[in-house]
Amino acid sequence: MTILGLLPLVLASPWIGAPPAAQDTETWLRCGMALVVPGEAPRPEVTLVVREGRIAAIREGYPPLAPGARAVDLREAFVLPGLIDCHTHLTHELSRTSRLERVEESDADRAIRAVVYARRTLEAGFTTVRNVGSSGDAIFALRDAIEKGWIPGPRILAAGESLSPTGGHSDETLGYREDLFELPGPALGICDGVAECRKGVRLQVKRGADVIKLVATGGVLSATNAGTEQQFFGDELTAIITTAHSLGRKVAAHAHGTRGILAALHAGVDSIEHGTYLDDEAIALFKETGAYLVPTLLAGQTVVDLAQDEGYFPAVIREKALRVGPVLAASLGRAYRAGVRIAFGTDSGVSRHGENWREFPLLVAAGVSPADALVFATRNAADLLGLDDVGTLEVGMRADIIALPASPLEEISALGRVSFVMQAGRIVKGP
Ligand SMILES: [Zn+2]
């Protein structure tokens, strides 16, 4: 058979070139309880009418079905907006062999891993994520393939490479023999001085970044004993943030140490990720600038758990894990009580993909009300990501809708039992 003879078969594939269309008929979701606007009281017995991927109407009770419409029975379920995770790393997952994978796996291997992880994330009820750092182009290909409907996964806002100084937290060549890698530069996110910092941002945007991620301080999982304090200088932070803002991109800053948090906030960053060693000055600055805190308690918990296993991490990482992990939750509690704006993020990739929900009970244990924890993962996260069509189930919003068998306002762990997922009007899990 000739190549040409094969062509019609290829073109007939339902997955290539022809994304599954959003159902153009109306879908009526009959909800036992619906959290239409997180932060407000849930509404009992309503019907959400979904048309062309959006919420077209909200009706009281369960009116008779319009001709041609189809019904989904969620009368026993608690319905809420699709969840948003502002801190993921979809192209990898921490394991005992992570440092070896870095020299064994290709960009293609990472892309295929990411396809698996994206599906798990979506089926766990996370319909949008912000991916804050991944090497290579896999994350952009993943984002675009999901957007086209070729593969299932959350809507992704992607940062590309994290920006870091040489030897800083996201210098991926840290701890390896020097002849294994060329000295990385701005294309790989490694920038020293103002000019390289500007170039690093411009290169990420050129490659397709929706958002810029920088590491303001040292971090836990980098193989260096350089601690968790400030790494970029103030002029470098300002160069990154002003360049990103001038190109219409927000900036997320990884930061543990107090000086690094303060420097990033002073430079005008849009969110601080982790925020471990917050002090009163930092809390006041958060409130003054309106920056969000993305606490990632699950990452702290995960590294503490893994560090119990003595051989899991190199000694230099183990020490940081045991020191930093326990402080995160206390700082988050303080920021919450002080009224800092908080958005939900897990650092999944450190924890396992698809278990993002485990951040919720940790937030509640740190003193956050279940209602506010849901606001962090919906309206606040949408606001941080600059998306105005997700985060509530009001008329006109994207039909990103999930359902649980019980109310998370009464039982937070119900978020680990997502039974139904609709994304932009398409049912991807459930009846
Ligand atoms: Zn991270």
Side-chain angles (χ1 to χ4, degrees), residues 16-30:
I16 298 178
Q23 283 102 358
D24 36 23
T25 55
E26 282 186 355
T27 305
W28 292 31
L29 305 179
R30 293 171 164 154

Side-chain angles (χ1 to χ4, degrees), residues 161-163 184-192 195-201 203-204 207:
E161 306 276 357
S162 293
L163 303 187
L188 293 175
I190 304 306
C191 318
D192 299 296
E196 286 193 358
C197 285
R198 288 179 180 146
K199 186 158 193 170
V201 172
L203 283 168
Q204 299 317 310
R207 294 167 68 210

Side-chain angles (χ1 to χ4, degrees), residues 87-89 132-133 169 213 254 273-274 296 299 346-348 350:
H87 194 128
T88 67
H89 301 281
V132 280
H169 174 55
K213 164 78 179 297
H254 155 110
E273 314 293 304
H274 321 304
T296 70
T346 60
D347 217 349
S348 287
V350 174

